[in-house]
Amino acid sequence: MNGEGERLRGSRVAVVALAALVAALGLGVAARYAAGSGLIALAGPVAEPASRLGAWVIALGAPWLAVAWLLGALARRGDLGAATGAFALVGGTGAWYAFTVWSEGRASLGYAVPVSIGWAAAAAVAGAIFGAAGALWRSGRSDGARALGAAMVAAPMIGEAVLLETTWDGRAARVVLTAELLVGLVLPFVLVRRPPRALLLCLALTAVLSVVAAVGEDVVRDALRHVGWHGP
């Protein structure tokens, strides 16, 4: 039995590690697409067509946190979830700026190096936190733990949508932010359906953490702008 359990744990680690690698590459490619669409430098014009919805979705930060959270839920263990979440987000950040240098040449190094280091530091912390939160939701032994784990993935979506509503312009951007807000509001009801007290706790935690997420993202974005980042 012990040997079988070790093999199962080893298989899970391998699956989670592979998922984290795929997620890192996918995030890097998707983020590079956003950069190519001009979203790093400025927000879109008011008359921006709805056909650019995809580019604005990629430019959001909360979906990156959701990827780390999903990897944590797949891992089921807090330590493994934290490690894979951090790896995926740091790897995605590194891939993004590596693709930037590859496509734009050495002239972009002055921008890419300091900004990638700054975002990688933020990604490491955020990835670890949200990866552990996903594992907490999946394997938490109490209703409170599962409620907290679910609130952790819903809150950044709500907080980010409210925060960016004041800075992003354009029809497509507003559609994306509205959709993100709705997803954040619905997630607690999907992830914590019963017992009712757990859902109520999750809703309360989501409300509080949404404020924390909005403030935190604003601080991080402002800090990164000081090292040269000029994203939307």
Side-chain angles (χ1 to χ4, degrees):
M1 288 295 292
N2 288 338
E4 183 178 354
E6 289 295 331
R7 284 194 297 272
L8 289 173
R9 283 192 291 271
S11 298
R12 179 176 299 155
V13 170
V15 169
V16 172
L18 178 60
L21 179 60
V22 171
L25 291 174
L27 287 171
V29 171
R32 179 57 203 156
Y33 168 69
S37 299
L39 296 180
I40 284 180
L42 71 163
V46 174
E48 182 186 7
S51 62
R52 296 188 65 184
L53 287 174
W56 282 108
V57 171
I58 294 166
L60 292 170
W64 285 57
L65 304 181
V67 169
W69 188 92
L70 287 170
L71 289 170
L74 178 63
R76 299 185 182 183
R77 285 170 32 199
D79 56 348
L80 182 58
T84 53
F87 174 83
L89 298 200
V90 172
T93 301
W96 175 346
Y97 288 102
F99 290 141
T100 297
V101 174
W102 178 71
S103 63
E104 298 182 8
R106 294 182 180 180
S108 63
L109 282 172
Y111 171 81
V113 171
V115 174
S116 65
I117 291 173
W119 273 119
V125 175
I129 292 172
F130 285 87
L136 182 65
W137 170 79
R138 181 69 179 271
S139 302
R141 297 183 179 180
S142 68
D143 292 338
R146 293 184 63 250
L148 176 59
M152 286 289 290
V153 72
M157 296 189 178
I158 298 171
E160 181 175 64
V162 173
L163 173 68
L164 297 183
E165 178 66 27
T166 63
T167 58
W168 282 15
D169 292 321
R171 182 177 37 170
R174 294 192 183 281
V175 168
V176 167
L177 291 177
T178 300
E180 183 181 44
L181 177 62
L182 292 175
V183 170
L185 292 172
V186 168
L187 274 176
F189 296 94
V190 174
L191 298 176
V192 184
R193 287 175 286 185
R194 59 180 183 270
R197 66 177 180 276
L199 175 58
L200 290 175
L201 177 59
C202 182
L203 292 172
L205 288 170
T206 298
V208 173
L209 292 176
S210 294
V211 177
V212 175
V215 173
E217 180 166 346
D218 190 42
V219 169
V220 170
R221 284 171 171 268
D222 187 60
L224 267 294
R225 288 190 177 95
H226 281 84
V227 299
W229 180 68
H230 40 78

